[in-house]
Amino acid sequence: MPPRPRTLAAAIVAALALGAQAVPAAAADGPAGDSTTTTSRGVEIPAFYTPPSELPGADGTLIRHEPLPLALSLPGIDGPLPGRATRLMYKSTDANGEAVAVTGAYIEPAAKWRGDGPRPLVAVAPGTMGQGDQCAASMALEHPLQLNGQTVSVGYEDLSVYRLLLRGVAVVVTDYVGLGTTDRLHTYVNRVDGAHAVLDAVRAARALDSASVTSESRVGLFGYSQGGGATAAAAELQPSYAPDVQLAGTYAGAPPADLTEVTKAIDGSDLAGALGWSLNGFLQTEPALRPIADRYINEAGQEALKDLSTMCVGDALFGYGGDSSTDWTKTGQSISDVIRAEPVLQTFLAEQRIGSLKPAGPVRVATGTGDDLVPHGQARRLAVDWCGKGAQVTYVPVLLPGVGSGLLNHFAPLLTDQGSAISWLTDRLSGEPAGSNCWSMPVQP
């Protein structure tokens, strides 16, 4: 089992770097669906996050919004720095074609946009936050560190948001389907749910009266890890699902494009708990898989899945870091072994594969060559697949040595490459052409 104190130290350092501040939320614009609040692992989930019983018809329609206090904010002459935030709930459509409410946040930057054209908008798809409602990225903007003895949630995605805001780029962050909203379970790494949540967040931001962005604003997508998968899928599905959301550029860092490969990699890793989030999400999307789960998952596995369904990343590191899924099955098989034995599961995961469609607009795929948590090879293959379809791909292998921790091997490229990724995206938002290095893929690591 990997040493958990090391991953604990990494989480705490990141949290302290972000800081924490508790600020009460202002009243919502329009009634919340329920005047009561719920709790998840001792954290109060505001009534704002309870969806109404009836949802609007059009995807991206704003359901409600309210001011969102940013924990890391300074007073400025023209308003708070780095910007003024609004909590959002908007309508989307899930992988089964059902209407769903999604939450998130829009931040209007205080900084001026100095690039070409009107102020642009970037939809940030967060990396893995967990599956408990208290883990939602919009809540992390208000409370970057949740640490109460029952849960550990770190808003590490705040860094990318603030870096974009400082460049004068407006940002909308999605919480994804079921994360934050109290009516359903988060469908972790679901390709369609993630893509739709990202694209509809753009529509919702445009509809906000207080936002300076309009349909004329260039749009970019930014995501790493789970977020990289969501932005990659969004770039593929944009032409059919959201033709009104034209994409100037998409950054997909460490995308989990092949969940069969990712499943094998995370089993027994620092972030083994993510395997439970995946299984929970699959069962939420496709209840027909339940008989297979009941046939294989033992009592300990069922308890782990229930426990993980309310956990954030920090909780999973402490509770399940280094665990093997062989302890969760009645047969002693790993989850990967079960997938190989069940054609229905193979088909389901094949449908989650990203790379079968040509993405819209230029894309930048970055992957750490030493990443063994979201394996480098499958991320590189996504770039190859897209190049084969004639896409405009900038492939960036982040050359870092492995350090023995899957979690650090995965997150080190995020920090190493983030500045370059933001520069690439802001160039696209200014209208500069992207180019492509598909020609070099045969010699790229």
Side-chain angles (χ1 to χ4, degrees), residues 375-444:
H376 164 71
Q378 59 86 46
R380 183 187 184 280
R381 182 178 172 186
L382 173 63
V384 171
D385 289 344
W386 278 348
C387 284
K389 291 174 172 41
Q392 197 173 5
V393 180
T394 298
Y395 170 73
V396 181
V398 183
L399 305 176
L400 293 173
V403 294
S405 165
L407 191 67
L408 294 179
N409 288 340
H410 178 58
F411 279 103
L414 164 65
L415 299 177
T416 301
D417 184 58
Q418 190 175 82
S420 297
I422 290 174
S423 293
W424 179 90
L425 189 57
T426 50
D427 284 346
R428 307 291 78 74
L429 297 173
S430 288
E432 296 183 21
S436 172
N437 65 351
C438 281
W439 60 270
S440 70
M441 288 307 300
V443 297
Q444 291 279 13

Side-chain angles (χ1 to χ4, degrees), residues 180-212:
T181 48
T182 57
D183 62 332
R184 62 170 62 199
L185 195 65
H186 172 42
T187 45
Y188 181 69
V189 295
N190 181 289
R191 177 179 67 93
V192 175
D193 282 12
H196 288 184
V198 169
L199 294 168
D200 286 327
V202 173
R203 290 165 159 163
R206 288 172 171 175
L208 192 63
D209 289 340
S210 59
S212 62

Side-chain angles (χ1 to χ4, degrees), residues 123-299:
V124 171
T128 296
M129 306 299 290
Q131 204 158 44
D133 287 329
Q134 77 278 14
C135 318
S138 63
M139 294 188 197
L141 287 166
E142 184 177 5
H143 306 291
L145 175 62
Q146 297 275 12
L147 182 62
N148 64 358
Q150 298 182 55
T151 190
V152 180
S153 178
V154 180
Y156 63 87
E157 202 64 73
D158 294 4
L159 177 60
S160 62
V161 171
Y162 277 54
R163 294 179 81 163
L164 287 162
L165 293 173
L166 292 174
R167 291 178 179 238
V169 177
V171 175
V172 64
V173 182
T174 181
D175 289 334
Y176 298 124
V177 174
L179 192 59
T181 48
T182 57
D183 62 332
R184 62 170 62 199
L185 195 65
H186 172 42
T187 45
Y188 181 69
V189 295
N190 181 289
R191 177 179 67 93
V192 175
D193 282 12
H196 288 184
V198 169
L199 294 168
D200 286 327
V202 173
R203 290 165 159 163
R206 288 172 171 175
L208 192 63
D209 289 340
S210 59
S212 62
V213 296
T214 69
S215 59
E216 302 302 315
S217 299
R218 292 189 177 101
V219 175
L221 307 181
F222 186 97
Y224 187 90
S225 191
Q226 180 186 1
T231 57
E236 287 192 342
L237 295 180
Q238 178 272 328
S240 60
Y241 182 75
D244 55 308
V245 180
Q246 296 295 312
L247 299 179
T250 296
Y251 165 65
D258 185 340
L259 295 186
T260 301
E261 292 298 317
V262 176
T263 295
K264 287 190 293 185
I266 63 177
D267 199 346
S269 74
D270 298 340
L271 201 56
L275 185 56
W277 296 328
S278 301
L279 294 175
N280 284 333
F282 298 161
L283 293 173
Q284 167 84 16
T285 297
E286 186 50 80
L289 299 177
R290 175 63 66 181
I292 298 177
D294 291 342
R295 189 160 67 248
Y296 284 98
I297 304 298
N298 61 22
E299 184 177 351

Side-chain angles (χ1 to χ4, degrees), residues 27-48:
D29 178 21
D34 190 332
S35 60
T36 63
T37 58
T38 61
T39 58
S40 180
R41 291 189 177 263
V43 177
E44 185 178 282
I45 309 300
F48 182 94

